[in-house]
Structure formats: structure tokens, C-alpha cells
Amino acid sequence: MTLKKYNPETLYSAHGQYYNAIEVPPGTTLIYSSGIIGCDTSGEVIKDAPGQIRQAWLNVKAFLDGTGCLPQDLVRLKMHLTNRANLELSKAARIDALGSHMNAAVTGIVMGLFDPELFIEIDVIAARSD
């Protein structure tokens, strides 16, 4: 499956490693995640920001693996961080877990998440050919 990716000349240039829009072809199954957080397989939240952020991105990879998708099947990521200082750490962890694949993306810096121990939450949409 090939996703059609857009950075229209009539729109501002992307400010990072993402596309302004992605078109999903007909006959494709869309898979939506719940918020993916930085906890281990037992459900324990990783306590330190670097470890938790790294684990969250590994969990995005596990989500993709578990749904029969690859990083290039990502359509959109919405990432919420509780501290702007963790942006570069998150970017490096994403590249380590998923490679340099580009998708449509939103990043928000939020005052808090549902669990006050969380530093990051990631919402994912992937597309799979059946």
C-alpha cells in the first residue's frame, strides 16, 4: 500500500519531520489507537522522563507490530508532552523506534495528562491493506 503524501506549494512548508496531509487509498483499513503511554508490559509507568518517553515510542512500535502494520503505515501521530524540554528527547526516541518515516503529525505541550506521572501520550492512526 502506498499513502499519498502532500506538502502543497500553496500552504506553508512543514516545520519539521512531517507532511501537511496524507491520503489513504480506498480499500484500506484504518486503525486508531487509544493514547499510548510509557509503561512496561506489566502496566507499570516508567518513572523517569527519558525512560518513559523511550518506552512510549517503543509501545507505538508494539502497537504497529500487533496490528500488522509497519512504521510506513502510520498516517497520523498526535503527541502530547507535559514539558517542552522533552521535545528533542522524544524526537530521538521516535526515530530510534520507528526510523525516519514521515507522517501527518500534531505535537502539543499540555499542562498534564490523566495520570500525573505521565510525561507523554501518543495517539496513532495507521492504515493497512487487507
Side-chain angles (χ1 to χ4, degrees), residues 1 3 64 68-76 101 125-129:
M1 171 195 57
L3 299 171
L64 293 171
C69 293
L70 300 169
Q72 55 266 35
D73 297 327
L74 282 170
V75 176
R76 183 179 172 117
H101 167 74
I125 302 172
R128 182 184 67 218
S129 296

Side-chain angles (χ1 to χ4, degrees), residues 18 76-80 103-108:
Y18 67 91
R76 183 179 172 117
L77 290 170
K78 289 169 81 177
M79 178 181 62
H80 308 283
N103 49 263
V106 174
T107 299

Side-chain angles (χ1 to χ4, degrees), residues 53-117:
I53 291 167
R54 188 171 27 262
Q55 186 63 54
W57 286 108
L58 291 172
N59 289 345
V60 170
K61 176 73 168 89
F63 162 83
L64 293 171
D65 292 344
T67 59
C69 293
L70 300 169
Q72 55 266 35
D73 297 327
L74 282 170
V75 176
R76 183 179 172 117
L77 290 170
K78 289 169 81 177
M79 178 181 62
H80 308 283
L81 289 169
T82 59
N83 188 332
R84 185 178 306 278
N86 291 326
L87 276 168
E88 289 303 313
L89 176 66
S90 180
K91 179 180 177 182
R94 178 182 52 80
I95 291 169
D96 285 347
L98 304 175
S100 60
H101 167 74
M102 290 172 48
N103 49 263
V106 174
T107 299
I109 308 301
V110 298
M111 291 184 65
L113 296 164
F114 75 95
D115 181 334
E117 294 184 327

